[in-house]
Amino acid sequence: MTPRAADRARYDRATAHLDAPVAIVDLEAFDANADDLVRRAAGKPIRVASKSVRCRALLERVLARPGFAGLMSFTLAESVWLARAGFEDVLLAYPSADRASFAELTSDPKLAGAITVMVDDPAQLDLVDRARERDGLEVRVCLELDTSLQLLGGRVRVGARRSPLRSPAQLAELARSVARRPGFRLVGLMAYEGHVAGVGDAVAGSPLRSRAIRLMQAAARRELAARRAEVVRAVRAVVPDLEFVNGGGTGSVQHTAAEAAVTEIAAGSGLYVPRLFDNYTSFSGRPAALFAQPVVRRPGVGVVTVLGGGYPASGAPGVDRLPVPYLPEGLRYDPQEGAGEVQTPLLGSAADDLLIGDKVWFRHAKAGELCERFEELQLVEGDRVTATVPTYRGEGRTFL
């Protein structure tokens, strides 16, 4: 029996009492992935990206482990909810225009002490001030640096379009703006290198493309390390007591941790290890989060149909955004239908061994987005479900 076949047998036994669709997290794999992130971080604390987990019980589990400290949230409403639930260090990774949540933040000392908001434009500070219902509470602020690699005088750009702030002078000027503005305190810098951390460099069947990606990422790491160090020096000249400099992502943990200017690493997807993290040369993880769909039809030889399964991931549309049939091994999509909203045909010789009611296990393309489809996660240890915990959705929270 192959290791994957053994996993399938375990998951089937663990969930035999549960009807599919069902989602699980293999705790042994989850914990092993956490250990690997800590190893690669080489002593620097890891701030957990909540959008990649979207389950409070699992956020609590990983934060209880050595090497992890703080959360990186994705909306201000989520930040407020997490802080009220007892999480004491929440960095909002994206600017917000949520006036109601800003009013809540600026009227509650507990929230103001726990949450750090993201800023890359003075107009975002204006939004906060207009929402204030009382004076006196300082809002903790983090500035974001644009990490994209720009070539040929900016005519070629590699990386996400995030912050407009690139140069040390730009960051220092906004730092001065925050420092002299009543009601705000600059505490951190963030720089997320998604074109390194979130792009695999070993694309199956594409050696030339893989080499091009590795060359691009090596150049991007060199350019960003030098620029990030200059930016940190410039901002610390304005705010010497800066609390943190955050960088990284699952795919670049060890590279970012090696930069002296960086004080903490952000990661989250590496806990679940979705399919988009299969194509890296720098690390490998164990798939920890999976979902199962039930076989409901057997249309012919070498074909089964499962219920639902069309759970595409965000990003530019493409085959790589689809979940991948994982267990049993050897199943693939019908190219004429793909992953359907209400039914999904699957092809391959493994189909002939599946019966009506059997489970087919899938891996999502991304990490936390799986939790938007399920209200519960079954936590599996060995061949047993040892706990059932709610996702954000299961707690009635859909923040985006």
Side-chain angles (χ1 to χ4, degrees), residues 39 46 57 70 76 88 109 119 133 141-142 173 182 202 204 208 217 236 258 281 302 304 328 359 371 382 384:
R39 176 189 61 79
I46 298 171
L76 185 55
E88 297 179 347
V119 170
E133 295 182 353
V141 172
C142 179
E173 176 56 33
L208 294 179
Q217 290 179 339
R236 287 197 185 278
T281 57
V304 292
K359 294 181 175 78
C371 294
R384 296 186 305 117

Side-chain angles (χ1 to χ4, degrees), residues 102-374:
F102 276 134
E104 196 172 355
L105 172 68
T106 55
S107 63
D108 187 323
K110 176 185 175 182
L111 297 180
I115 297 170
T116 302
V117 303
M118 190 63 61
V119 170
D120 59 33
D121 189 309
Q124 294 152 355
L125 302 175
D126 296 337
L127 276 175
V128 179
D129 275 338
R130 288 198 296 270
R132 288 182 190 271
E133 295 182 353
R134 60 182 279 191
D135 295 326
L137 287 184
E138 276 192 328
V139 174
R140 293 167 54 84
V141 172
C142 179
L143 305 184
E144 181 171 3
L145 166 68
D146 171 39
T147 66
S148 64
L149 177 64
Q150 296 191 10
L151 305 170
L152 301 178
R155 292 191 295 275
V156 175
R157 174 193 179 99
V158 182
R161 296 184 181 275
R162 292 177 62 108
S163 171
L165 306 174
R166 285 189 57 80
S167 70
Q170 288 175 312
L171 272 293
E173 176 56 33
L174 187 52
R176 284 189 286 269
S177 179
V178 175
R180 62 177 172 250
R181 188 159 178 163
F184 296 93
R185 180 159 61 96
L186 180 58
V187 299
L189 284 172
M190 186 189 84
Y192 170 59
E193 53 267 36
H195 50 303
V196 179
V199 178
D201 62 352
V203 183
S206 301
L208 294 179
R209 182 183 175 195
S210 298
R211 177 166 174 75
I213 291 172
R214 287 194 288 273
L215 290 172
M216 175 276 292
Q217 290 179 339
R221 288 196 300 268
R222 289 192 298 271
E223 187 276 336
L224 178 59
R227 184 160 52 91
R228 180 155 41 197
E230 293 174 4
V231 165
V232 172
R233 283 194 293 271
V235 172
R236 287 197 185 278
V238 179
V239 183
D241 58 346
L242 203 67
E243 294 178 14
F244 65 86
V245 176
N246 181 282
T250 289
S252 66
V253 169
Q254 65 272 33
H255 302 297
T256 309
E259 295 182 33
V262 174
T263 66
E264 64 175 39
I265 309 299
S269 295
L271 296 167
Y272 286 170
V273 185
R275 67 167 293 194
L276 285 180
F277 285 89
D278 287 349
N279 302 322
Y280 284 78
T281 57
S282 60
F283 81 101
S284 61
R286 294 173 55 183
L290 301 96
F291 68 93
Q293 304 296 119
V295 174
V296 292
R297 286 177 170 164
R298 291 171 50 87
V301 175
V303 186
V304 292
T305 302
V306 298
L307 182 71
Y311 304 158
S314 59
V319 173
D320 65 341
R321 301 290 137 169
L322 297 178
V324 60
Y326 183 61
L327 301 171
E329 299 177 66
L331 294 174
R332 65 186 186 279
Y333 291 120
D334 182 335
Q336 297 186 62
E337 296 196 46
E341 178 186 10
V342 291
Q343 72 163 36
T344 297
L346 297 170
L347 312 179
S349 59
D352 293 330
D353 295 324
L354 290 168
L355 304 177
I356 299 295
D358 284 352
K359 294 181 175 78
V360 174
W361 295 92
F362 292 77
R363 294 171 63 202
H364 203 276
K366 288 193 172 182
E369 292 183 22
L370 169 64
C371 294
E372 299 297 338
R373 299 287 183 166
F374 291 88

